[in-house]
Amino acid sequence: MNRNRFIKSHGLGNEYIVLDEDNITFELNEKAIKRICNVNFGIGSDGILLKVSSKNADIGLRIYNPDGSEAEKSGNGLRIFCKYVFDYGIINKKELTVETKGGIVKANIKEIKKGKANVITVDMGKAIFKSELIPTKYEKEEVQGEVILLEDKEYKINCVSVGNPHCVILKESLDIDEIKKYGTKIENYHMFPNRINVQFAKVINRREVEVLIWERGAGFTLASGSSSCAVASIMRKKGLIENEVTIKMIGGQLKIEIDDNWNIRMTGEVRQICEGILSDELLEDIEMYGL
Ligand SMILES: N[C@H](CCC[C@H](N)C(=O)O)C(=O)O
């Protein structure tokens, strides 16, 4: 098979490039990740999914943000990756386990269209509210309703981990310019040692929530699976929604189910955009210039 093959897919407009560690001829280091994810000097993407081996699950996955940082989990990334391994016959079953830095998850190919996986469910693990496990530097047991001051703005924050860290802010109305202005300040706030993903969330009713996303290491994205899980967990904890909710984002919507032990299940569509080969010139430029 050709070396340096990639596929590019999206989950609700949150796109990823998939690579196989056994197929690439270069080191997927920070320089490579930044250039490949750059829309002008590379392919352009919200991140990279690297297929790796696993001794503890059917397959392993490493998740990288466009800034080169590694993420413990990605909901859209996991659905895209499961579609890839199913569509390309790497794993010939509809139920599979994937080992990520944030734990082992179980996935289920829910719907197949013309022989390709189309809708995928992922059991994303448990919502963790303990502040030191998120992690945050807050002394309190949990970070719920804490106030942070950012220059001229005050936000009430609610933090949760779904394998990766999240800061959920409840809003009466959602403003893209506001999250683009303050998202990075919250992402890099000094109380979050590993930085944090940020969501502005507005309850529509007990079964629908609207969300804007600012991702750690990626910035403003059209959708985010782990963010959807985080928002649903916080809303459920505050008694604002039922245990099954639709999270509505600019790129589309996800169904999130939360059981009585805070186990989270996420279901949504994934679509492939293209497949191709990374050119030798791109690899030369990574070596010579990085980004
Ligand atoms: N930027 C996130 C990882 C990707 C999350 C998002 N794309 C998703 O679908 O969950 C982080 O650093 O934790």
PDB file of all heavy atoms in Angstrom, residues 106-132:
ATOM      1  N   LYS A 106     -15.709   2.009  24.374  1.00  0.00           N
ATOM      2  CA  LYS A 106     -16.396   1.019  23.544  1.00  0.00           C
ATOM      3  C   LYS A 106     -17.211   1.777  22.496  1.00  0.00           C
ATOM      4  O   LYS A 106     -17.853   2.780  22.825  1.00  0.00           O
ATOM      5  CB  LYS A 106     -17.319   0.175  24.431  1.00  0.00           C
ATOM      6  CG  LYS A 106     -17.865  -1.072  23.759  1.00  0.00           C
ATOM      7  CD  LYS A 106     -18.341  -2.101  24.777  1.00  0.00           C
ATOM      8  CE  LYS A 106     -19.651  -1.696  25.434  1.00  0.00           C
ATOM      9  NZ  LYS A 106     -20.830  -1.809  24.567  1.00  0.00           N
ATOM     10  N   ALA A 107     -17.122   1.303  21.267  1.00  0.00           N
ATOM     11  CA  ALA A 107     -17.855   1.969  20.180  1.00  0.00           C
ATOM     12  C   ALA A 107     -18.735   0.966  19.467  1.00  0.00           C
ATOM     13  O   ALA A 107     -18.458  -0.236  19.458  1.00  0.00           O
ATOM     14  CB  ALA A 107     -16.885   2.616  19.208  1.00  0.00           C
ATOM     15  N   ASN A 108     -19.802   1.492  18.833  1.00  0.00           N
ATOM     16  CA  ASN A 108     -20.757   0.641  18.122  1.00  0.00           C
ATOM     17  C   ASN A 108     -21.140   1.324  16.815  1.00  0.00           C
ATOM     18  O   ASN A 108     -21.557   2.474  16.808  1.00  0.00           O
ATOM     19  CB  ASN A 108     -21.995   0.481  19.031  1.00  0.00           C
ATOM     20  CG  ASN A 108     -23.086  -0.330  18.355  1.00  0.00           C
ATOM     21  OD1 ASN A 108     -23.306  -0.198  17.169  1.00  0.00           O
ATOM     22  ND2 ASN A 108     -23.745  -1.163  19.130  1.00  0.00           N
ATOM     23  N   ILE A 109     -20.927   0.605  15.711  1.00  0.00           N
ATOM     24  CA  ILE A 109     -21.332   1.140  14.393  1.00  0.00           C
ATOM     25  C   ILE A 109     -22.858   1.018  14.322  1.00  0.00           C
ATOM     26  O   ILE A 109     -23.379  -0.082  14.141  1.00  0.00           O
ATOM     27  CB  ILE A 109     -20.669   0.357  13.241  1.00  0.00           C
ATOM     28  CG1 ILE A 109     -19.174   0.167  13.486  1.00  0.00           C
ATOM     29  CG2 ILE A 109     -20.961   1.014  11.897  1.00  0.00           C
ATOM     30  CD1 ILE A 109     -18.322   1.396  13.405  1.00  0.00           C
ATOM     31  N   LYS A 110     -23.561   2.103  14.509  1.00  0.00           N
ATOM     32  CA  LYS A 110     -25.029   2.069  14.642  1.00  0.00           C
ATOM     33  C   LYS A 110     -25.721   1.967  13.301  1.00  0.00           C
ATOM     34  O   LYS A 110     -26.750   1.339  13.152  1.00  0.00           O
ATOM     35  CB  LYS A 110     -25.531   3.355  15.322  1.00  0.00           C
ATOM     36  CG  LYS A 110     -25.271   3.457  16.779  1.00  0.00           C
ATOM     37  CD  LYS A 110     -26.236   2.633  17.589  1.00  0.00           C
ATOM     38  CE  LYS A 110     -27.524   3.413  17.863  1.00  0.00           C
ATOM     39  NZ  LYS A 110     -28.346   2.745  18.866  1.00  0.00           N
ATOM     40  N   GLU A 111     -25.204   2.675  12.313  1.00  0.00           N
ATOM     41  CA  GLU A 111     -25.894   2.721  11.016  1.00  0.00           C
ATOM     42  C   GLU A 111     -24.862   2.670   9.908  1.00  0.00           C
ATOM     43  O   GLU A 111     -23.829   3.334   9.992  1.00  0.00           O
ATOM     44  CB  GLU A 111     -26.685   4.037  10.926  1.00  0.00           C
ATOM     45  CG  GLU A 111     -27.537   4.187   9.665  1.00  0.00           C
ATOM     46  CD  GLU A 111     -27.996   5.633   9.507  1.00  0.00           C
ATOM     47  OE1 GLU A 111     -28.813   6.084  10.346  1.00  0.00           O
ATOM     48  OE2 GLU A 111     -27.491   6.313   8.601  1.00  0.00           O
ATOM     49  N   ILE A 112     -25.156   1.845   8.903  1.00  0.00           N
ATOM     50  CA  ILE A 112     -24.247   1.693   7.759  1.00  0.00           C
ATOM     51  C   ILE A 112     -24.979   2.142   6.504  1.00  0.00           C
ATOM     52  O   ILE A 112     -26.154   1.795   6.308  1.00  0.00           O
ATOM     53  CB  ILE A 112     -23.797   0.218   7.647  1.00  0.00           C
ATOM     54  CG1 ILE A 112     -22.944  -0.147   8.876  1.00  0.00           C
ATOM     55  CG2 ILE A 112     -23.015  -0.020   6.357  1.00  0.00           C
ATOM     56  CD1 ILE A 112     -22.623  -1.621   8.995  1.00  0.00           C
ATOM     57  N   LYS A 113     -24.305   2.936   5.688  1.00  0.00           N
ATOM     58  CA  LYS A 113     -24.910   3.428   4.445  1.00  0.00           C
ATOM     59  C   LYS A 113     -23.992   3.025   3.281  1.00  0.00           C
ATOM     60  O   LYS A 113     -22.793   3.347   3.301  1.00  0.00           O
ATOM     61  CB  LYS A 113     -24.993   4.959   4.475  1.00  0.00           C
ATOM     62  CG  LYS A 113     -26.422   5.525   4.483  1.00  0.00           C
ATOM     63  CD  LYS A 113     -26.374   7.043   4.459  1.00  0.00           C
ATOM     64  CE  LYS A 113     -27.722   7.685   4.675  1.00  0.00           C
ATOM     65  NZ  LYS A 113     -27.581   9.153   4.903  1.00  0.00           N
ATOM     66  N   LYS A 114     -24.522   2.311   2.346  1.00  0.00           N
ATOM     67  CA  LYS A 114     -23.746   1.838   1.183  1.00  0.00           C
ATOM     68  C   LYS A 114     -22.440   1.170   1.626  1.00  0.00           C
ATOM     69  O   LYS A 114     -21.353   1.441   1.115  1.00  0.00           O
ATOM     70  CB  LYS A 114     -23.430   3.023   0.242  1.00  0.00           C
ATOM     71  CG  LYS A 114     -24.664   3.677  -0.356  1.00  0.00           C
ATOM     72  CD  LYS A 114     -24.310   4.893  -1.193  1.00  0.00           C
ATOM     73  CE  LYS A 114     -25.556   5.661  -1.642  1.00  0.00           C
ATOM     74  NZ  LYS A 114     -25.211   7.021  -2.161  1.00  0.00           N
ATOM     75  N   GLY A 115     -22.537   0.375   2.688  1.00  0.00           N
ATOM     76  CA  GLY A 115     -21.378  -0.407   3.143  1.00  0.00           C
ATOM     77  C   GLY A 115     -20.390   0.377   3.988  1.00  0.00           C
ATOM     78  O   GLY A 115     -19.373  -0.149   4.443  1.00  0.00           O
ATOM     79  N   LYS A 116     -20.703   1.668   4.240  1.00  0.00           N
ATOM     80  CA  LYS A 116     -19.776   2.481   5.050  1.00  0.00           C
ATOM     81  C   LYS A 116     -20.464   2.883   6.354  1.00  0.00           C
ATOM     82  O   LYS A 116     -21.671   3.185   6.357  1.00  0.00           O
ATOM     83  CB  LYS A 116     -19.389   3.748   4.287  1.00  0.00           C
ATOM     84  CG  LYS A 116     -18.826   3.511   2.875  1.00  0.00           C
ATOM     85  CD  LYS A 116     -17.427   2.983   2.908  1.00  0.00           C
ATOM     86  CE  LYS A 116     -16.831   2.909   1.496  1.00  0.00           C
ATOM     87  NZ  LYS A 116     -15.590   2.109   1.460  1.00  0.00           N
ATOM     88  N   ALA A 117     -19.675   2.950   7.419  1.00  0.00           N
ATOM     89  CA  ALA A 117     -20.232   3.383   8.712  1.00  0.00           C
ATOM     90  C   ALA A 117     -20.718   4.822   8.580  1.00  0.00           C
ATOM     91  O   ALA A 117     -20.029   5.669   8.006  1.00  0.00           O
ATOM     92  CB  ALA A 117     -19.158   3.279   9.784  1.00  0.00           C
ATOM     93  N   ASN A 118     -21.896   5.105   9.113  1.00  0.00           N
ATOM     94  CA  ASN A 118     -22.451   6.455   8.962  1.00  0.00           C
ATOM     95  C   ASN A 118     -22.806   7.090  10.308  1.00  0.00           C
ATOM     96  O   ASN A 118     -22.545   8.270  10.538  1.00  0.00           O
ATOM     97  CB  ASN A 118     -23.707   6.386   8.085  1.00  0.00           C
ATOM     98  CG  ASN A 118     -24.160   7.767   7.650  1.00  0.00           C
ATOM     99  OD1 ASN A 118     -23.378   8.528   7.085  1.00  0.00           O
ATOM    100  ND2 ASN A 118     -25.396   8.117   7.987  1.00  0.00           N
ATOM    101  N   VAL A 119     -23.407   6.294  11.193  1.00  0.00           N
ATOM    102  CA  VAL A 119     -23.730   6.794  12.541  1.00  0.00           C
ATOM    103  C   VAL A 119     -23.051   5.876  13.548  1.00  0.00           C
ATOM    104  O   VAL A 119     -23.137   4.653  13.438  1.00  0.00           O
ATOM    105  CB  VAL A 119     -25.248   6.832  12.799  1.00  0.00           C
ATOM    106  CG1 VAL A 119     -25.546   7.212  14.257  1.00  0.00           C
ATOM    107  CG2 VAL A 119     -25.941   7.812  11.846  1.00  0.00           C
ATOM    108  N   ILE A 120     -22.344   6.484  14.482  1.00  0.00           N
ATOM    109  CA  ILE A 120     -21.562   5.696  15.449  1.00  0.00           C
ATOM    110  C   ILE A 120     -21.865   6.146  16.880  1.00  0.00           C
ATOM    111  O   ILE A 120     -22.021   7.344  17.133  1.00  0.00           O
ATOM    112  CB  ILE A 120     -20.056   5.839  15.137  1.00  0.00           C
ATOM    113  CG1 ILE A 120     -19.784   5.218  13.751  1.00  0.00           C
ATOM    114  CG2 ILE A 120     -19.200   5.161  16.212  1.00  0.00           C
ATOM    115  CD1 ILE A 120     -18.388   5.382  13.239  1.00  0.00           C
ATOM    116  N   THR A 121     -21.988   5.168  17.773  1.00  0.00           N
ATOM    117  CA  THR A 121     -22.173   5.446  19.205  1.00  0.00           C
ATOM    118  C   THR A 121     -20.878   5.119  19.936  1.00  0.00           C
ATOM    119  O   THR A 121     -20.240   4.106  19.638  1.00  0.00           O
ATOM    120  CB  THR A 121     -23.315   4.576  19.772  1.00  0.00           C
ATOM    121  OG1 THR A 121     -24.557   5.025  19.201  1.00  0.00           O
ATOM    122  CG2 THR A 121     -23.402   4.702  21.289  1.00  0.00           C
ATOM    123  N   VAL A 122     -20.483   6.003  20.856  1.00  0.00           N
ATOM    124  CA  VAL A 122     -19.283   5.757  21.664  1.00  0.00           C
ATOM    125  C   VAL A 122     -19.632   5.908  23.137  1.00  0.00           C
ATOM    126  O   VAL A 122     -20.233   6.924  23.524  1.00  0.00           O
ATOM    127  CB  VAL A 122     -18.140   6.744  21.306  1.00  0.00           C
ATOM    128  CG1 VAL A 122     -16.896   6.456  22.152  1.00  0.00           C
ATOM    129  CG2 VAL A 122     -17.792   6.670  19.825  1.00  0.00           C
ATOM    130  N   ASP A 123     -19.284   4.891  23.931  1.00  0.00           N
ATOM    131  CA  ASP A 123     -19.398   5.023  25.388  1.00  0.00           C
ATOM    132  C   ASP A 123     -18.144   5.749  25.851  1.00  0.00           C
ATOM    133  O   ASP A 123     -17.048   5.186  25.856  1.00  0.00           O
ATOM    134  CB  ASP A 123     -19.506   3.650  26.057  1.00  0.00           C
ATOM    135  CG  ASP A 123     -20.865   3.006  25.765  1.00  0.00           C
ATOM    136  OD1 ASP A 123     -21.792   3.766  25.424  1.00  0.00           O
ATOM    137  OD2 ASP A 123     -20.983   1.772  25.838  1.00  0.00           O
ATOM    138  N   MET A 124     -18.315   7.034  26.225  1.00  0.00           N
ATOM    139  CA  MET A 124     -17.165   7.929  26.401  1.00  0.00           C
ATOM    140  C   MET A 124     -16.539   7.849  27.789  1.00  0.00           C
ATOM    141  O   MET A 124     -15.598   8.581  28.081  1.00  0.00           O
ATOM    142  CB  MET A 124     -17.602   9.371  26.144  1.00  0.00           C
ATOM    143  CG  MET A 124     -17.913   9.668  24.690  1.00  0.00           C
ATOM    144  SD  MET A 124     -16.436   9.864  23.704  1.00  0.00           S
ATOM    145  CE  MET A 124     -15.932  11.512  24.223  1.00  0.00           C
ATOM    146  N   GLY A 125     -17.071   6.982  28.658  1.00  0.00           N
ATOM    147  CA  GLY A 125     -16.536   6.899  30.017  1.00  0.00           C
ATOM    148  C   GLY A 125     -17.376   7.753  30.960  1.00  0.00           C
ATOM    149  O   GLY A 125     -18.462   8.219  30.610  1.00  0.00           O
ATOM    150  N   LYS A 126     -16.849   7.974  32.139  1.00  0.00           N
ATOM    151  CA  LYS A 126     -17.594   8.662  33.186  1.00  0.00           C
ATOM    152  C   LYS A 126     -17.244  10.150  33.239  1.00  0.00           C
ATOM    153  O   LYS A 126     -16.112  10.540  32.962  1.00  0.00           O
ATOM    154  CB  LYS A 126     -17.209   8.070  34.558  1.00  0.00           C
ATOM    155  CG  LYS A 126     -17.967   6.844  35.011  1.00  0.00           C
ATOM    156  CD  LYS A 126     -17.511   6.472  36.442  1.00  0.00           C
ATOM    157  CE  LYS A 126     -18.057   5.124  36.875  1.00  0.00           C
ATOM    158  NZ  LYS A 126     -19.530   5.094  36.947  1.00  0.00           N
ATOM    159  N   ALA A 127     -18.245  10.944  33.619  1.00  0.00           N
ATOM    160  CA  ALA A 127     -17.995  12.358  33.948  1.00  0.00           C
ATOM    161  C   ALA A 127     -17.346  12.400  35.332  1.00  0.00           C
ATOM    162  O   ALA A 127     -17.806  11.761  36.269  1.00  0.00           O
ATOM    163  CB  ALA A 127     -19.302  13.131  33.962  1.00  0.00           C
ATOM    164  N   ILE A 128     -16.229  13.162  35.408  1.00  0.00           N
ATOM    165  CA  ILE A 128     -15.492  13.300  36.668  1.00  0.00           C
ATOM    166  C   ILE A 128     -15.563  14.765  37.117  1.00  0.00           C
ATOM    167  O   ILE A 128     -15.131  15.642  36.362  1.00  0.00           O
ATOM    168  CB  ILE A 128     -14.002  12.905  36.483  1.00  0.00           C
ATOM    169  CG1 ILE A 128     -13.880  11.500  35.887  1.00  0.00           C
ATOM    170  CG2 ILE A 128     -13.211  13.077  37.767  1.00  0.00           C
ATOM    171  CD1 ILE A 128     -14.228  10.369  36.801  1.00  0.00           C
ATOM    172  N   PHE A 129     -16.095  15.008  38.310  1.00  0.00           N
ATOM    173  CA  PHE A 129     -16.275  16.394  38.771  1.00  0.00           C
ATOM    174  C   PHE A 129     -15.233  16.818  39.796  1.00  0.00           C
ATOM    175  O   PHE A 129     -15.138  17.993  40.156  1.00  0.00           O
ATOM    176  CB  PHE A 129     -17.679  16.565  39.361  1.00  0.00           C
ATOM    177  CG  PHE A 129     -18.784  16.297  38.371  1.00  0.00           C
ATOM    178  CD1 PHE A 129     -19.468  15.086  38.383  1.00  0.00           C
ATOM    179  CD2 PHE A 129     -19.126  17.246  37.408  1.00  0.00           C
ATOM    180  CE1 PHE A 129     -20.491  14.830  37.461  1.00  0.00           C
ATOM    181  CE2 PHE A 129     -20.145  17.012  36.488  1.00  0.00           C
ATOM    182  CZ  PHE A 129     -20.829  15.796  36.503  1.00  0.00           C
ATOM    183  N   LYS A 130     -14.427  15.842  40.280  1.00  0.00           N
ATOM    184  CA  LYS A 130     -13.465  16.156  41.340  1.00  0.00           C
ATOM    185  C   LYS A 130     -12.418  17.129  40.795  1.00  0.00           C
ATOM    186  O   LYS A 130     -11.749  16.829  39.797  1.00  0.00           O
ATOM    187  CB  LYS A 130     -12.785  14.852  41.797  1.00  0.00           C
ATOM    188  CG  LYS A 130     -12.316  14.845  43.232  1.00  0.00           C
ATOM    189  CD  LYS A 130     -11.990  13.398  43.649  1.00  0.00           C
ATOM    190  CE  LYS A 130     -11.146  13.284  44.916  1.00  0.00           C
ATOM    191  NZ  LYS A 130     -11.520  14.142  46.030  1.00  0.00           N
ATOM    192  N   SER A 131     -12.277  18.278  41.453  1.00  0.00           N
ATOM    193  CA  SER A 131     -11.457  19.356  40.859  1.00  0.00           C
ATOM    194  C   SER A 131     -10.017  18.931  40.619  1.00  0.00           C
ATOM    195  O   SER A 131      -9.430  19.309  39.602  1.00  0.00           O
ATOM    196  CB  SER A 131     -11.497  20.617  41.717  1.00  0.00           C
ATOM    197  OG  SER A 131     -11.315  20.340  43.044  1.00  0.00           O
ATOM    198  N   GLU A 132      -9.450  18.098  41.492  1.00  0.00           N
ATOM    199  CA  GLU A 132      -8.023  17.757  41.274  1.00  0.00           C
ATOM    200  C   GLU A 132      -7.843  16.743  40.145  1.00  0.00           C
ATOM    201  O   GLU A 132      -6.777  16.613  39.578  1.00  0.00           O
ATOM    202  CB  GLU A 132      -7.419  17.200  42.570  1.00  0.00           C
ATOM    203  CG  GLU A 132      -8.024  15.877  43.009  1.00  0.00           C
ATOM    204  CD  GLU A 132      -7.439  15.381  44.335  1.00  0.00           C
ATOM    205  OE1 GLU A 132      -6.211  15.490  44.504  1.00  0.00           O
ATOM    206  OE2 GLU A 132      -8.244  14.911  45.164  1.00  0.00           O
TER     207      GLU A 132
END
